[in-house]
Amino acid sequence: MGKRIVVLGGGAAGTMVANRLARWLTDSIRSGELEILLITRSEQHLYQPGFLSVVFNEKFPEQIVREEKSLVHRGVTLLFDEIRRIRPDRRCVQSRTTEYPYDYLVIATGSRPDFDGVPGLKESAHHFYSLEGALRLRDALASVKEGRILIAVDQPHKGPGAPLEFALMLDDYLRRRGIREGIRLKYAYSDGRLHRMQPVGDWALSQFDQRGIAHQPFFRLEKVDPLRKRAFTADGEEHPFDVLVAVPAHRGAPVVADSGLGDERGFVPTDRLTLKMEGDDRVYVLGDATNLPLPKGGSAYYQSEVLVQNLVSRLKGLPETSVYDGKGAFFLGSSLREAGFIAFDYSRLPKSVSSSEVLRWSKGMQTPSYWLNVRAIL
C-alpha cells in the first residue's frame, strides 16, 4: 500500500499545497505509491480578498467564485466531508462517519471571525468576511445618505490590510457619491496604533487625518445594543452608530480546538521555520491556521513553496532543508483608484508606504492570477 498525504482545508492554502504536491509527484501518484487526499466542506471556492470589491460594487459574486473541483489537479483525490477530529496519536482525521488515515497531514483550516465573543455583535454588525456579508454590506452602504458609520476592529484578523483598506476605500466611495460631508466616519481599533506594522500604521494615520476619518485607539468592545444602535466599551464609553462594520477577533477552525491542538484562540502551535506542528514531525501547518507571529493572510503562497519542497524531499528520502523566513505580502487599497504594496518577513518590515494607480491596477489583476496560483500553475 502506498503512502497517503491528507490535506485538510480547501481554501487558498490547502488547494494550492495539494496541487503543488500533485504536480511535483505525478509519477508516484500514477504508480500508486502515493495518494494525495484533499478534504474540504464546501464545493465552492471563494476568492476572499474579492469580498471588498463586492462591497463597493466593483465585482459581481460570480467573478470571485469557482467550483472547487474545477481547481483541483487530476492527481488529487477530492472529498467533501466535515472533519470533526484530528487524531495525531492515531494518524488519522475523523468525520461523523469516516476515518481517514494519513502518513503525513497538512492542516490548512484557516480562521474565522468570532461574532459570538461580544454580546449583541452578531445581531448588530455588518462585515466583509463572507460573500453573504459582503452583499449585505454593499446594500447597506448603497442606501446610506447621512449618519454615523462605526468601524470596530479587533485582533487578530485575517486580511492584514483589510480593515484599513475598507475605511480608506469607503471614504473615497462616499466622496464619489457626494455624501461624505453628511457622514461621520470613525475607525475604532483595539491596539495603540492603526496597524501592527508601525510604518503602515503611521502612513494610515496621516491618511485618516487628511481625510477627516476619526480614529480611536484601545477600543475594547464589550457589548452592542442592536435596538438602540449603541456600542459599549470596557471603560464605560457609549458609541452611537447608524451602521456598524465589525472586524472581530478571529479564531482558528473549530476542528482544531475540538481536537485539543490549538492555543487559546484555536491556532495550531507551529514551528516558525519548518511549518511543522510543534511536537509532531508528520503534521505540517500553513496559512491562517498557524500561530506564527505574522499578520493573518498574505503568506500562504510563500509558505506553500517551503512546505511542498520539504515534503517532496522527505518522500524522496532527502533531507528537509527549505526554511520559511516569514515572507508575506499584501496590497493595501488607499482609495478606489490607488493602492499600495506591503512586503515583509520575520526580520524586515516595510520602511514606508506609498500608493499609486499602477499598483491599484496590479491589485485588480490579483483575481485572475489567483485562480492560476491556487491551481499551482504560477
Side-chain angles (χ1 to χ4, degrees):
M1 183 177 177
K3 294 185 181 297
R4 173 188 277 177
I5 301 172
V6 170
V7 180
L8 189 56
T15 305
M16 194 182 305
V17 162
N19 285 335
R20 283 184 183 272
L21 287 169
R23 292 186 184 280
W24 277 70
L25 299 166
T26 300
D27 291 342
S28 297
I29 294 170
R30 287 175 177 170
S31 68
E33 298 173 18
L34 176 69
E35 180 186 23
I36 300 172
L37 182 59
L38 174 61
I39 306 175
T40 180
R41 293 186 304 169
S42 176
E43 296 185 13
Q44 288 191 322
H45 188 109
L46 300 173
Y47 173 56
Q48 296 185 41
F51 292 156
L52 277 182
S53 297
V54 171
V55 168
F56 295 110
N57 216 22
E58 296 178 308
K59 290 189 183 299
F60 300 108
E62 57 269 23
Q63 294 175 278
I64 63 168
V65 180
R66 295 284 189 277
E67 293 296 319
E68 178 69 10
K69 64 182 180 182
S70 73
L71 302 173
V72 174
H73 189 278
R74 61 182 178 276
V76 176
T77 301
L78 175 63
L79 287 179
F80 299 106
D81 201 352
E82 182 173 0
I83 299 303
R84 296 176 176 270
R85 290 288 301 278
I86 302 170
R87 296 291 303 271
D89 57 326
R90 294 175 54 175
R91 290 187 191 169
C92 71
V93 297
Q94 299 168 332
S95 68
R96 184 185 297 273
T97 60
T98 308
E99 183 171 288
Y100 303 97
Y102 66 78
D103 293 284
Y104 304 103
L105 174 66
V106 178
I107 299 176
T109 47
S111 64
R112 59 186 178 87
D114 181 16
F115 285 96
D116 296 316
V118 175
L121 186 63
K122 181 186 293 185
E123 298 81 7
S124 308
H126 289 279
H127 67 93
F128 46 82
Y129 286 101
S130 70
L131 181 54
E132 295 76 14
L135 290 170
R136 286 194 295 269
L137 180 54
R138 178 198 65 186
D139 295 343
L141 294 178
S143 65
V144 165
K145 299 294 187 293
E146 59 182 5
R148 295 160 295 196
I149 299 177
L150 173 64
I151 306 168
V153 182
D154 204 350
Q155 294 280 354
H157 57 75
K158 61 183 173 182
L164 288 178
E165 189 172 26
F166 171 74
L168 294 170
M169 291 171 70
L170 176 59
D171 173 76
D172 191 31
Y173 171 84
L174 297 172
R175 291 181 188 278
R176 284 169 173 257
R177 291 177 54 200
I179 58 174
R180 178 65 176 90
E181 289 186 1
I183 293 178
R184 284 166 283 177
L185 188 57
K186 177 187 285 189
Y187 187 92
Y189 49 105
S190 59
D191 288 345
R193 58 175 178 248
L194 286 168
H195 195 276
R196 288 193 169 184
M197 293 182 184
Q198 185 169 349
V200 178
D202 292 345
W203 172 82
L205 182 60
S206 68
Q207 293 293 311
F208 278 25
D209 288 343
Q210 289 175 24
R211 304 186 196 193
I213 301 173
H215 43 89
Q216 179 168 338
F218 302 113
F219 186 87
R220 311 293 187 186
L221 189 61
E222 188 170 77
K223 64 179 180 179
V224 184
D225 186 334
L227 296 179
R228 296 176 55 215
K229 292 191 174 183
R230 297 287 190 277
F232 299 90
T233 54
D235 55 9
E237 290 188 351
E238 181 176 328
H239 299 264
F241 61 85
D242 295 292
V243 177
L244 172 63
V245 182
V247 180
H250 282 48
R251 291 185 174 274
V255 64
V256 173
D258 293 345
S259 302
L261 302 180
D263 60 16
E264 68 278 1
R265 298 208 64 83
F267 298 113
V268 181
T270 305
D271 185 281
R272 59 188 282 157
L273 301 179
T274 67
L275 300 176
K276 292 181 181 179
M277 183 176 77
E278 292 181 3
D280 197 312
D281 187 53
R282 291 177 175 265
V283 180
Y284 299 77
V285 196
L286 82 164
D288 293 348
T290 75
N291 74 335
L292 296 178
L294 295 167
K296 294 294 178 188
S299 303
Y301 177 86
Y302 304 102
Q303 291 173 0
S304 71
E305 290 184 318
V306 172
L307 191 157
V308 169
Q309 178 72 38
N310 281 337
L311 194 44
V312 170
S313 295
R314 184 171 187 168
L315 290 166
K316 292 180 178 293
L318 302 172
E320 300 178 65
T321 58
S322 189
V323 173
Y324 178 57
D325 62 1
K327 187 175 182 180
F330 59 92
F331 284 98
L332 176 57
S334 56
S335 70
L336 297 178
R337 293 165 290 188
E338 296 187 350
F341 183 74
I342 313 299
F344 57 89
D345 57 37
Y346 286 138
S347 61
R348 177 177 59 93
L349 294 177
K351 294 181 179 180
S352 62
V353 179
S354 60
S355 60
S356 70
E357 291 186 11
V358 172
L359 286 172
R360 176 67 182 181
W361 178 86
S362 299
K363 182 179 187 295
M365 291 302 295
Q366 269 194 301
T367 305
S369 64
Y370 173 83
W371 302 117
L372 297 175
N373 280 325
V374 82
R375 292 169 63 194
I377 293 174
L378 284 181

